[in-house]
Amino acid sequence: MNLDLGPADRAFRDEVRAFLAAILTDDLRAGQRATTAMYPEPEISGPWQRKLQERGWLVPLWPKEWGGTGWTGLQRFIFETECALAGAPLVHPMGVRLVGPVILRFGTDAQKRDYLPRILSGADYWCQGFSEPNAGSDLASLSLRAVKDGDDYVLSGTKIWTTQAHHANKMFALVRTSNEGKRQQGISFLLLDMKSPGLTVRPIATIGGDHDVNEVFFDNVRVPQANRVGEENAGWECAKYLLEFERGAGIFSPRLRAQLKKVAEALRAPGADLQRRFGEVAADLDTFEWLELRTMAALPPGGNPGPVASILKLRASRLKQAIGELGVEALRAGAVRWRSSGPLDGGLADILVPEYCNSRAFTIFGGAAEIQLGLIAKTVLRL
């Protein structure tokens, strides 16, 4: 495979660099650098999303008629790499990368007209209602009930690990609408308002010291049946489609490399063992980057990687943890002095230690490592 950029791709890279140089502010860079949770806070990601939308670069995965860029996979990789190198904030993905493609594929015309423009403008901030306390990685065992009553569903149950639910005004959720047949055949996909009566959000304290995830309680919450995406009891198809984007459409290696550069800052007086391990992790990242680039370069505009997404997600999760562990070891005694509360002073310990702590969850969410291995065996290796 030839990884050298041709003239058109080099011109595109230069265009992206010029855009970033002109539009990216120090405040946005600082906000992303200080982010140790999954995503930046809305006051960081929101302004950046608006700048991308104004430029027409917000939703590369969407069709052009709905605001998509028409970029090839390689162009997306170039764009994400340049953004990471420049320190640009991550775009909150729940609307643009997860529920947006689901609405485009499975939604009604009315749902597309109602929701897609609001995702693009940032008027709606979404969270994902998938995980439940007793479901774990066995997503099909979810039990949050949605019972028909007139034109509505009435929801009772609990969601958990709901990222940034305390900021969101919308949720996309999987709910149990039938107990007949296979468990996957009784699930529906709903869109709901976070201000619905009976809905309560409670924060979960994480080991990294961030408020990123929450419990969400549903006490007879009414949701119009018109807010269901796809057919009743056919939500599993929506979920599988969405998870392909969640696991494999994010392009991981540029952000992992940015994290590794922070570790390099901490390696001011490295010992021989740390130098060797840094080299091993860097080489592992180089290999992963090659795999990701090869995958993305073969995708058509708007395409997602399909089953290979599980390989990318699994490798990215383990690299994230390896880089986090290396960062803590590079800090030596400085890591012990890290505080889990109080204002951050911008020092490396305030960044690397929470990143290490939060990275423990990366091999769990979006489908645990064991789930990814099962999917790889079944869908990639055909075992």
Side-chain angles (χ1 to χ4, degrees):
M1 178 182 177
N2 181 9
L3 298 181
D4 294 333
L5 298 181
D9 288 321
R10 286 199 299 273
F12 173 74
R13 180 195 60 191
D14 293 343
E15 183 182 2
V16 174
R17 286 179 177 176
F19 168 74
L20 293 171
I23 213 75
L24 191 56
T25 65
D26 291 341
D27 287 345
L28 292 177
R29 284 194 181 94
Q32 176 59 39
R33 179 176 169 82
T35 297
T36 58
M38 191 67 190
Y39 308 113
E41 292 293 289
E43 58 266 29
I44 300 299
S45 62
W48 182 239
Q49 175 168 330
R50 287 191 288 275
K51 291 176 185 291
L52 292 179
Q53 172 60 9
E54 290 168 4
R55 184 63 179 82
W57 285 356
L58 179 61
V59 283
L61 295 171
W62 291 21
K64 292 192 74 170
E65 61 266 33
W66 285 101
T69 58
W71 288 343
T72 64
L74 180 56
Q75 286 177 310
R76 283 193 56 226
F77 190 88
I78 292 170
F79 176 74
E80 294 292 345
T81 298
E82 294 303 322
C83 285
L85 290 173
L90 277 170
V91 173
H92 187 63
M94 299 297 175
V96 299
R97 206 179 79 204
L98 300 187
V99 75
V102 170
I103 293 172
L104 281 162
R105 177 162 179 171
F106 298 98
T108 64
D109 289 341
Q111 288 170 340
K112 293 174 185 175
R113 288 194 302 270
D114 288 346
Y115 290 107
L116 297 180
R118 295 176 60 84
I119 291 174
L120 291 173
S121 69
D124 288 337
Y125 196 89
W126 291 82
C127 62
Q128 180 184 44
F130 276 22
S131 296
E132 294 190 8
N134 297 315
S137 287
D138 184 13
L139 187 58
S141 68
L142 64 87
S143 61
L144 190 148
R145 295 172 60 245
V147 179
K148 284 182 178 177
D149 183 21
D151 293 332
D152 297 337
Y153 289 109
V154 180
L155 275 55
S156 300
T158 306
K159 294 292 181 182
I160 197 169
W161 312 121
T162 313
T163 304
Q164 297 202 349
H166 55 300
H167 294 312
N169 68 324
K170 300 287 183 183
M171 171 187 279
F172 53 91
L174 295 177
V175 299
R176 174 68 57 192
T177 44
S178 172
N179 289 311
E180 302 294 327
K182 293 182 178 179
R183 295 178 304 172
Q184 292 88 343
Q185 295 172 338
I187 293 172
S188 297
F189 192 103
L190 295 185
L191 311 176
L192 59 95
D193 193 325
M194 292 295 286
K195 293 184 179 179
S196 302
L199 191 152
T200 304
V201 177
R202 188 167 69 188
I204 297 174
T206 64
I207 192 173
D210 306 285
H211 177 194
D212 200 32
V213 291
N214 305 270
E215 292 177 286
V216 183
F217 301 94
F218 298 79
D219 182 9
N220 294 320
V221 173
R222 302 188 77 89
V223 179
Q225 292 186 41
N227 287 20
R228 187 188 68 238
V229 179
E231 297 295 322
E232 188 175 72
N233 300 325
W236 191 247
E237 291 303 312
C238 299
K240 289 194 298 181
Y241 185 69
L242 183 147
L243 287 170
E244 286 187 10
F245 286 91
E246 182 173 4
R247 292 166 179 164
I251 305 183
F252 300 104
S253 56
R255 298 288 173 175
L256 290 172
R257 192 167 296 285
Q259 185 189 359
L260 188 61
K261 286 186 175 180
K262 294 177 191 172
V263 174
E265 293 178 36
L267 280 169
R268 291 173 182 170
D273 181 59
L274 275 180
Q275 284 182 316
R276 176 185 59 77
R277 290 186 53 208
F278 186 90
E280 290 173 349
V281 172
D284 201 5
L285 177 55
D286 286 345
T287 304
F288 176 72
E289 184 181 59
W290 182 88
L291 171 64
E292 195 168 53
L293 178 55
R294 179 182 179 184
T295 302
M296 293 299 160
L299 290 179
N304 67 322
V308 77
S310 291
I311 298 177
L312 299 175
K313 197 273 180 183
L314 180 65
R315 292 298 305 131
S317 299
R318 290 179 171 173
L319 266 168
K320 177 80 175 177
Q321 292 175 347
I323 296 171
E325 290 165 7
L326 193 61
V328 168
E329 292 192 37
L331 289 168
R332 300 177 184 272
V336 180
R337 291 195 293 271
W338 173 72
R339 298 171 301 155
S340 61
S341 61
L344 297 176
D345 63 10
L348 281 172
D350 284 337
I351 297 170
L352 295 181
V353 179
E355 282 188 343
Y356 161 75
C357 293
N358 290 331
S359 74
R360 313 325 296 167
F362 274 66
T363 44
I364 299 174
F365 60 65
E370 291 76 10
I371 297 293
Q372 305 309 321
L373 289 169
L375 289 170
I376 292 166
K378 181 178 180 181
T379 61
V380 179
L381 301 177
R382 307 291 183 187
L383 298 177

